[in-house]
Amino acid sequence: MKYHLTMVAALLFMLQTSGFSQQTTVTLDYFFNNEYKKNPQGEMERFHYTWEDKSINGYTIWADLFKARNAKVAGLPTAPSAASLKGTDIYIICDPDTDKETTQPNYMTPAYASAIAEWVKKGGVLVLMANDSANAELPRFNLLAGKFGLQFTNKTRNAVIKDISVGKIMVPEQHDIFIKAKQLYLKGISTITVQGNAKPVLEDKGDIIMASARYGKGIVFAIGDPWIYNEYIVNDRLSPDFQNGIAAAEFTDWLLKQVPAKKP
């Protein structure tokens, strides 16, 4: 009898603590950003802002930052829905395709936007990473952003051609996300407008560069640039004064802290 009671107690302890060992799942959209190119073998492969792309256009460094914090990274090649987002804690949508980038782009729709908003309301952490209007489909993407009082504009900031310093964005001394990173590099970005519950996170020269909005139990973060892909961290042209690597780590930490605690 004592043996069985001990086994039951051990089982209950495992059930109570198992929730704390669950990994945070970070899902990167591969549906609205769905670009392909031929590899050296002549085969078509997905590229551009993906976890797997090891070139300067990929997010492999960011993926490693999440993995180092015991988070799991995944890609979502299908449309967002309650079913496809189940199990996802952080959902990142980056650089939605235009018809110049893919032959049959998957555009945001009211139905997709509603499904994503419902997921956020239940505690999801949504990251919207746009681009300048020449390189991202913003009007339909704003169907989703508008759910949270956010809008990406057609105004382009930091159009870097040769002068790297044009991309400089300074962070205020006191900041909720960027504690040590004070000089960021962002180029060719769409500015943001906010209303309702949305608020600026980082401003520069009168423009909103980053913004966020609480929505139900969840939160939305918006930035008008794909930002911390590999090029922004390992680009040899960047001055050592730019601190995107530090900023990427601090941003990753902040996102993980926004995920509601999982119940045991």
Side-chain angles (χ1 to χ4, degrees):
M1 182 68 176
K2 184 177 180 181
Y3 170 80
H4 290 296
L5 288 174
T6 302
M7 290 296 293
V8 170
L11 179 59
L12 287 173
F13 177 79
M14 291 174 61
L15 290 172
Q16 289 172 348
T17 58
S18 61
F20 296 103
S21 64
Q22 292 179 1
Q23 283 184 307
T24 296
T25 298
V26 185
T27 300
L28 181 59
D29 161 71
Y30 290 174
F31 182 72
F32 301 108
N33 173 43
N34 186 34
E35 298 179 62
Y36 289 82
K37 68 175 182 179
K38 283 187 178 180
N39 63 21
Q41 291 72 43
E43 303 166 332
M44 298 301 290
E45 67 179 12
R46 187 186 296 278
F47 86 112
H48 214 201
Y49 311 131
T50 70
W51 295 135
E52 300 82 10
D53 188 346
K54 296 180 181 179
S55 76
I56 61 172
N57 298 307
Y59 276 130
T60 51
I61 295 175
W62 198 12
D64 288 341
L65 287 173
F66 278 118
K67 292 174 185 176
R69 290 153 174 77
N70 196 37
K72 173 186 175 183
V73 298
L76 182 61
T78 59
S81 66
S84 64
L85 290 173
K86 186 177 182 180
T88 289
D89 300 294
I90 300 173
Y91 180 38
I92 303 167
I93 306 177
C94 176
D95 190 40
D97 292 333
T98 67
D99 56 8
K100 294 185 298 184
E101 296 171 314
T102 186
T103 54
Q104 292 183 313
N106 296 312
Y107 294 130
M108 183 63 64
T109 67
Y112 296 153
S114 294
I116 296 169
E118 190 61 28
W119 172 82
V120 175
K121 186 184 293 184
K122 294 178 180 178
V125 178
L126 176 64
V127 182
L128 303 178
M129 307 182 83
N131 210 333
D132 62 277
S133 59
N135 292 292
E137 201 295 309
L138 298 182
R140 294 179 182 86
F141 197 38
N142 276 330
L143 291 173
L144 174 59
K147 292 275 188 183
F148 316 106
L150 303 159
Q151 288 285 281
F152 295 103
T153 77
N154 290 327
K155 179 179 180 179
T156 301
R157 277 285 313 269
N158 296 18
V160 173
I161 299 176
K162 293 183 178 180
D163 184 3
I164 293 293
S165 67
V166 173
K168 181 170 69 174
I169 298 287
M170 298 302 296
V171 178
E173 187 61 32
Q174 300 297 321
H175 198 272
D176 291 340
I177 300 176
F178 307 113
I179 312 302
K180 296 180 179 179
K182 295 302 176 185
Q183 184 166 308
L184 312 184
Y185 177 73
L186 294 92
K187 64 176 182 179
I189 58 181
S190 167
T191 62
I192 302 169
T193 62
V194 298
Q195 63 179 5
N197 194 40
K199 63 180 182 179
V201 169
L202 184 62
E203 299 179 76
D204 183 75
K205 300 175 183 176
D207 292 320
I208 299 175
I209 308 300
M210 304 177 188
S212 68
R214 289 283 175 186
Y215 190 78
K217 297 179 180 179
I219 190 170
V220 181
F221 177 93
I223 178 172
D225 188 47
W227 193 32
I228 48 174
Y229 54 98
N230 297 344
E231 180 184 359
Y232 275 53
I233 300 175
V234 298
N235 191 335
D236 292 337
R237 295 176 63 203
L238 294 182
S239 162
D241 294 334
F242 287 113
Q243 299 172 309
N244 281 2
I246 298 171
E250 292 184 324
F251 181 49
T252 300
D253 289 336
W254 182 83
L255 286 175
L256 291 170
K257 288 176 183 177
Q258 306 313 304
V259 177
K262 297 182 180 181
K263 296 181 180 180

